[in-house]
Amino acid sequence: MEFEFTILALSGLIIVSIGLLRVSTKFGVPALLIFLSIGMFAGSDGVLGIPFSDAELARKVGSIALAYILFSGGLETDWNKVRPVLWMGISLGSFGVLLTCILVGLFSVYVLGFSPVVGFLLGAVVSSTDAAAVFNVLRTSNTGMRKGLTSLLELESGSNDPLAVLLTTTILGFVGNDSPSWGLLVWEIFKQFSLGILMGLLLGYWIYRGINRIKLDYEGLYPVLLSASVLFVFASTELIGGNAFLAVYIAGIVIGNRSFVHKRSNVRFMDGIGWLMQIVMFLTLGLLVFPSRIPPVFGMGLAFSIFLMLVARPISVCISLIGFGVDWKEKLLISWVGLRGAAPIILATFPYAKSLPESETIFHLVFFTVLTSLLLQGSTIPFVVRLLGLQAALEQRASYPFEFENKDQSDTQLLEYIVPYGSASVGKFVYELDFPENSLITLIYRGETHLVPTGKTKMEDGDVLLVLTPVGAEGEIREILSRMSDRKNT
């Protein structure tokens, strides 16, 4: 009956995790912290005592889960929102990660007393913000941020894992006698990023074209095809030496910003897969932890966490954003939302493969840091946003009482637009919007209601418009809606 009990335990833990999501929304506790806590509760040291100590299996499960989470995040990333903050996101995802690694490494060596290899390994492991944590907290905190900060934070968290993985594996290469040269290190970074970007762009485009051309008889096969494509992008990029995490994230962006067959139902399906992967990943990592081994690293972990949150992260953010015109309040918020989550814990399992003597200390120290980050930073994000005066009404994610599908061969398309907060269109009647000829607003999603507009319907902040428009006119509509009024705080 061992198999049946395993399935019962796994399904039960997932059901309990989903049920406790209400706690996350109601009390502002990060959902990922709940998942980790349930895993610890059920693990070897916990009440249920489920035996699990396979770090290599946890690494593999975590890597696949993270690939789906990144793809799902990329699929829902609006390129038009990302484009204005693209270079800032790249700077944070590269220079920010490298600076954090260096600063935390120096602290670990000269203050905590670790050897240089272990110290900088710790720096590499915690150098990236976690996509799963940031996506989750930003979307469940019910607090919006202005000036594209949400897009910037999601772009950074989705794109900085690859460099953290590369730094971790490279530093581990210095363990033993097979230490690579610095020239080889630079070449490896260039190769992984180049191949990751190239594979993401090419495979993302081919998948998009394939989905539109294959014309399957059963609609239910499209989500299956898309799910298998994620694994194909991940594995093929990994096999040729590229960065697989970067590839799946870029492929998600490429596919998500184009119209394809049954797009809305596929995006919803992948969102569900993303949630399932988050739960499974954090439960698995929680099971791997022995809570009784955390108290011995409490003092060291507290010093490590405080330095990372209050020194290393702010310094790396400030230096990375020099020249981008970001004010000090925005830099402070970006620094505070630098959550650590599953990625550092997954990377902390890598030293086990090298049989590093300090691997257990590294793992539990990193796990303590993640708990601290989720508890202190994740639960206070709404408060910090309001304290700094950077809040904005939360953009709604529209749901419609029907499905719609755009066809490649059609001359018209049904597209979704959001009326930005502070837009000059707010307060205008529909007939005053000066949309392109033959464009028609078919439905407005406002609050929890759907409105069928007339010419006398007034636009409001945050309205989600479903517009039937000729192909090629979408840019003009977006430009009309994005014009800002002279109201304060636009």
Side-chain angles (χ1 to χ4, degrees):
M1 303 293 287
E2 183 179 346
F3 175 75
E4 287 76 10
F5 278 118
T6 301
I7 296 301
L8 179 65
L10 179 60
S11 60
L13 290 175
I14 292 175
I15 291 170
V16 170
S17 299
I18 294 172
L20 289 177
L21 279 176
R22 293 290 298 169
V23 177
S24 169
T25 305
K26 187 173 182 179
F27 297 103
V29 179
L32 308 183
L33 182 60
I34 292 175
F35 302 155
L36 278 174
S37 300
I38 292 173
M40 294 169 63
F41 175 84
S44 301
D45 258 5
V47 175
L48 298 184
I50 298 175
F52 184 77
S53 59
D54 193 335
E56 181 61 18
L57 177 60
R59 183 189 69 80
K60 291 176 179 177
V61 170
S63 296
I64 296 300
L66 191 57
Y68 275 101
I69 292 166
L70 287 169
F71 182 82
S72 178
L75 204 61
E76 297 188 60
T77 298
D78 187 342
W79 176 248
N80 293 300
K81 294 179 182 178
V82 166
R83 186 164 49 190
V85 297
L86 177 62
W87 292 108
M88 284 190 284
I90 291 174
S91 182
L92 285 171
S94 54
F95 294 117
V97 169
L98 189 58
L99 287 170
T100 301
C101 175
I102 293 172
L103 290 170
V104 173
L106 292 172
F107 178 81
S108 300
V109 173
Y110 291 104
V111 177
L112 300 183
F114 286 103
S115 66
V117 170
V118 175
F120 283 97
L121 178 62
L122 279 168
V125 166
V126 300
S127 60
S128 72
T129 57
D130 186 73
V134 174
F135 289 161
N136 177 271
V137 171
L138 291 180
R139 292 172 184 175
T140 58
S141 63
N142 293 319
T143 302
M145 304 179 195
R146 63 182 175 90
K147 293 184 178 180
L149 288 173
T150 301
S151 298
L152 174 60
L153 290 164
E154 291 192 348
L155 174 62
E156 179 204 7
S157 67
S159 60
N160 63 10
D161 287 330
L163 183 56
V165 173
L166 184 56
L167 288 172
T168 300
T169 54
T170 302
I171 293 172
L172 278 172
F174 284 89
V175 177
N177 299 319
D178 54 346
S179 300
S181 66
W182 289 106
L184 183 61
L185 170 60
V186 173
W187 165 249
E188 188 67 19
I189 292 174
F190 174 78
K191 183 187 74 170
Q192 287 217 17
F193 271 77
S194 299
L195 290 176
I197 293 170
L198 181 63
M199 291 292 283
L201 292 172
L202 288 178
L203 294 179
Y205 179 75
W206 288 342
I207 292 167
Y208 148 72
R209 295 293 294 176
I211 290 175
N212 279 338
R213 287 177 178 271
I214 196 169
K215 305 209 182 296
L216 297 170
D217 293 329
Y218 301 99
E219 181 181 341
L221 288 176
Y222 285 98
V224 178
L225 177 61
L226 194 59
S227 300
S229 299
V230 177
L231 296 177
F232 182 83
V233 174
F234 183 85
S236 58
T237 306
E238 188 78 22
L239 284 172
I240 66 170
N243 197 292
F245 296 107
L246 183 59
V248 294
Y249 181 64
I250 291 177
I253 293 177
V254 171
I255 297 169
N257 282 272
R258 293 175 176 269
S259 295
F260 58 91
V261 177
H262 304 300
K263 179 176 180 178
R264 293 186 65 82
S265 58
N266 276 282
V267 170
R268 282 202 303 269
F269 178 84
M270 292 308 301
D271 184 51
I273 291 294
W275 272 106
L276 176 62
M277 291 299 171
Q278 287 185 50
I279 294 172
V280 170
M281 176 173 62
F282 277 86
L283 286 177
T284 301
L285 295 173
L287 287 171
L288 188 63
V289 174
F290 288 82
S292 61
R293 299 177 188 175
I294 292 180
V297 300
F298 182 85
M300 182 188 300
L302 195 59
F304 186 85
S305 302
I306 290 174
F307 180 83
L308 175 62
M309 288 188 291
L310 302 183
V311 181
R313 170 69 176 175
I315 290 176
S316 65
V317 167
C318 290
I319 294 177
S320 299
L321 295 180
I322 290 176
F324 287 106
V326 181
D327 64 40
W328 69 269
K329 286 186 177 181
E330 293 169 339
K331 289 179 180 177
L332 191 58
L333 180 60
I334 293 168
S335 300
W336 192 247
V337 187
L339 303 180
R340 269 60 191 177
I345 303 176
I346 294 170
L347 293 178
T349 63
F350 284 28
Y352 281 99
K354 280 281 185 179
S355 300
L356 214 61
E358 298 94 338
S359 58
E360 191 172 297
T361 301
I362 292 172
F363 182 82
H364 286 89
L365 179 61
V366 170
F367 191 87
F368 179 87
T369 303
V370 170
L371 288 179
T372 306
S373 176
L374 291 174
L375 187 60
L376 296 183
Q377 293 176 291
S379 60
T380 57
I381 285 176
F383 170 75
V384 173
V385 171
R386 291 191 294 270
L387 181 67
L388 295 174
L390 297 173
Q391 72 272 21
L394 191 66
E395 284 190 354
Q396 303 173 78
R397 300 181 68 182
S399 61
Y400 302 111
F402 57 87
E403 292 288 338
F404 62 90
E405 178 183 325
N406 291 314
K407 302 287 188 181
D408 269 357
Q409 62 271 25
S410 176
D411 294 330
T412 59
Q413 52 191 342
L414 200 57
L415 299 176
E416 184 181 286
Y417 297 90
I418 297 177
V419 180
Y421 293 87
S423 170
S425 300
V426 174
K428 289 185 176 182
F429 294 112
V430 167
Y431 75 83
E432 296 178 309
L433 292 178
D434 197 27
F435 275 8
E437 189 177 356
N438 297 326
S439 294
L440 176 68
I441 301 176
T442 60
L443 196 70
I444 298 177
Y445 182 77
R446 179 180 295 168
E448 296 298 323
T449 62
H450 299 92
L451 306 176
V452 178
T454 67
K456 291 287 188 177
T457 302
K458 275 189 177 182
M459 294 293 100
E460 294 186 6
D461 284 312
D463 277 353
V464 182
L465 313 181
L466 198 59
V467 184
L468 185 66
T469 181
V471 173
E474 56 271 17
E476 186 176 348
I477 295 175
R478 189 172 290 109
E479 182 181 349
I480 291 170
L481 294 176
S482 62
R483 290 172 189 159
M484 293 291 107
S485 72
D486 294 328
R487 289 184 292 168
K488 190 177 180 181
N489 293 330
T490 58

PDB file of all heavy atoms in Angstrom, residues 114-126:
ATOM      1  N   PHE A 114      33.618  32.055   6.211  1.00  0.00           N
ATOM      2  CA  PHE A 114      33.637  30.948   5.254  1.00  0.00           C
ATOM      3  C   PHE A 114      34.862  31.045   4.353  1.00  0.00           C
ATOM      4  O   PHE A 114      35.463  32.120   4.206  1.00  0.00           O
ATOM      5  CB  PHE A 114      32.373  30.969   4.382  1.00  0.00           C
ATOM      6  CG  PHE A 114      31.123  30.520   5.095  1.00  0.00           C
ATOM      7  CD1 PHE A 114      30.189  31.438   5.537  1.00  0.00           C
ATOM      8  CD2 PHE A 114      30.890  29.173   5.325  1.00  0.00           C
ATOM      9  CE1 PHE A 114      29.035  31.038   6.184  1.00  0.00           C
ATOM     10  CE2 PHE A 114      29.749  28.751   5.970  1.00  0.00           C
ATOM     11  CZ  PHE A 114      28.813  29.680   6.411  1.00  0.00           C
ATOM     12  N   SER A 115      35.225  29.926   3.740  1.00  0.00           N
ATOM     13  CA  SER A 115      36.305  29.934   2.755  1.00  0.00           C
ATOM     14  C   SER A 115      35.840  30.719   1.531  1.00  0.00           C
ATOM     15  O   SER A 115      34.635  30.883   1.310  1.00  0.00           O
ATOM     16  CB  SER A 115      36.671  28.509   2.350  1.00  0.00           C
ATOM     17  OG  SER A 115      35.587  27.911   1.649  1.00  0.00           O
ATOM     18  N   PRO A 116      36.771  31.227   0.705  1.00  0.00           N
ATOM     19  CA  PRO A 116      36.369  32.013  -0.470  1.00  0.00           C
ATOM     20  C   PRO A 116      35.403  31.281  -1.390  1.00  0.00           C
ATOM     21  O   PRO A 116      34.426  31.881  -1.857  1.00  0.00           O
ATOM     22  CB  PRO A 116      37.709  32.290  -1.170  1.00  0.00           C
ATOM     23  CG  PRO A 116      38.705  32.307  -0.062  1.00  0.00           C
ATOM     24  CD  PRO A 116      38.240  31.250   0.902  1.00  0.00           C
ATOM     25  N   VAL A 117      35.639  29.989  -1.645  1.00  0.00           N
ATOM     26  CA  VAL A 117      34.748  29.257  -2.550  1.00  0.00           C
ATOM     27  C   VAL A 117      33.342  29.176  -1.976  1.00  0.00           C
ATOM     28  O   VAL A 117      32.347  29.467  -2.654  1.00  0.00           O
ATOM     29  CB  VAL A 117      35.294  27.838  -2.831  1.00  0.00           C
ATOM     30  CG1 VAL A 117      34.245  26.999  -3.558  1.00  0.00           C
ATOM     31  CG2 VAL A 117      36.562  27.904  -3.662  1.00  0.00           C
ATOM     32  N   VAL A 118      33.228  28.802  -0.706  1.00  0.00           N
ATOM     33  CA  VAL A 118      31.915  28.668  -0.074  1.00  0.00           C
ATOM     34  C   VAL A 118      31.252  30.033   0.079  1.00  0.00           C
ATOM     35  O   VAL A 118      30.046  30.187  -0.143  1.00  0.00           O
ATOM     36  CB  VAL A 118      32.036  27.971   1.296  1.00  0.00           C
ATOM     37  CG1 VAL A 118      30.684  27.949   2.010  1.00  0.00           C
ATOM     38  CG2 VAL A 118      32.550  26.554   1.117  1.00  0.00           C
ATOM     39  N   GLY A 119      32.027  31.045   0.435  1.00  0.00           N
ATOM     40  CA  GLY A 119      31.479  32.393   0.614  1.00  0.00           C
ATOM     41  C   GLY A 119      30.868  32.936  -0.662  1.00  0.00           C
ATOM     42  O   GLY A 119      29.726  33.426  -0.668  1.00  0.00           O
ATOM     43  N   PHE A 120      31.613  32.848  -1.765  1.00  0.00           N
ATOM     44  CA  PHE A 120      31.086  33.364  -3.034  1.00  0.00           C
ATOM     45  C   PHE A 120      30.021  32.427  -3.615  1.00  0.00           C
ATOM     46  O   PHE A 120      29.167  32.869  -4.385  1.00  0.00           O
ATOM     47  CB  PHE A 120      32.217  33.601  -4.025  1.00  0.00           C
ATOM     48  CG  PHE A 120      32.995  34.851  -3.723  1.00  0.00           C
ATOM     49  CD1 PHE A 120      34.181  34.799  -3.010  1.00  0.00           C
ATOM     50  CD2 PHE A 120      32.508  36.089  -4.117  1.00  0.00           C
ATOM     51  CE1 PHE A 120      34.888  35.962  -2.705  1.00  0.00           C
ATOM     52  CE2 PHE A 120      33.201  37.252  -3.828  1.00  0.00           C
ATOM     53  CZ  PHE A 120      34.392  37.194  -3.117  1.00  0.00           C
ATOM     54  N   LEU A 121      30.075  31.156  -3.236  1.00  0.00           N
ATOM     55  CA  LEU A 121      28.998  30.243  -3.624  1.00  0.00           C
ATOM     56  C   LEU A 121      27.690  30.674  -2.960  1.00  0.00           C
ATOM     57  O   LEU A 121      26.630  30.702  -3.605  1.00  0.00           O
ATOM     58  CB  LEU A 121      29.353  28.813  -3.221  1.00  0.00           C
ATOM     59  CG  LEU A 121      28.304  27.739  -3.519  1.00  0.00           C
ATOM     60  CD1 LEU A 121      28.048  27.651  -5.015  1.00  0.00           C
ATOM     61  CD2 LEU A 121      28.760  26.388  -2.972  1.00  0.00           C
ATOM     62  N   LEU A 122      27.753  31.034  -1.688  1.00  0.00           N
ATOM     63  CA  LEU A 122      26.570  31.555  -1.003  1.00  0.00           C
ATOM     64  C   LEU A 122      26.062  32.823  -1.687  1.00  0.00           C
ATOM     65  O   LEU A 122      24.853  33.017  -1.861  1.00  0.00           O
ATOM     66  CB  LEU A 122      26.897  31.848   0.463  1.00  0.00           C
ATOM     67  CG  LEU A 122      26.886  30.652   1.424  1.00  0.00           C
ATOM     68  CD1 LEU A 122      27.516  31.031   2.753  1.00  0.00           C
ATOM     69  CD2 LEU A 122      25.448  30.169   1.632  1.00  0.00           C
ATOM     70  N   GLY A 123      26.996  33.695  -2.084  1.00  0.00           N
ATOM     71  CA  GLY A 123      26.612  34.910  -2.784  1.00  0.00           C
ATOM     72  C   GLY A 123      25.896  34.620  -4.088  1.00  0.00           C
ATOM     73  O   GLY A 123      24.892  35.264  -4.428  1.00  0.00           O
ATOM     74  N   ALA A 124      26.392  33.634  -4.834  1.00  0.00           N
ATOM     75  CA  ALA A 124      25.771  33.274  -6.114  1.00  0.00           C
ATOM     76  C   ALA A 124      24.390  32.668  -5.911  1.00  0.00           C
ATOM     77  O   ALA A 124      23.443  32.964  -6.650  1.00  0.00           O
ATOM     78  CB  ALA A 124      26.674  32.296  -6.865  1.00  0.00           C
ATOM     79  N   VAL A 125      24.258  31.810  -4.902  1.00  0.00           N
ATOM     80  CA  VAL A 125      22.998  31.108  -4.661  1.00  0.00           C
ATOM     81  C   VAL A 125      21.860  32.081  -4.343  1.00  0.00           C
ATOM     82  O   VAL A 125      20.724  31.898  -4.804  1.00  0.00           O
ATOM     83  CB  VAL A 125      23.171  30.087  -3.514  1.00  0.00           C
ATOM     84  CG1 VAL A 125      21.822  29.590  -3.016  1.00  0.00           C
ATOM     85  CG2 VAL A 125      24.025  28.907  -3.979  1.00  0.00           C
ATOM     86  N   VAL A 126      22.136  33.133  -3.581  1.00  0.00           N
ATOM     87  CA  VAL A 126      21.074  34.071  -3.175  1.00  0.00           C
ATOM     88  C   VAL A 126      21.076  35.355  -4.004  1.00  0.00           C
ATOM     89  O   VAL A 126      20.405  36.323  -3.659  1.00  0.00           O
ATOM     90  CB  VAL A 126      21.208  34.444  -1.676  1.00  0.00           C
ATOM     91  CG1 VAL A 126      21.113  33.214  -0.799  1.00  0.00           C
ATOM     92  CG2 VAL A 126      22.512  35.198  -1.400  1.00  0.00           C
TER      93      VAL A 126
END
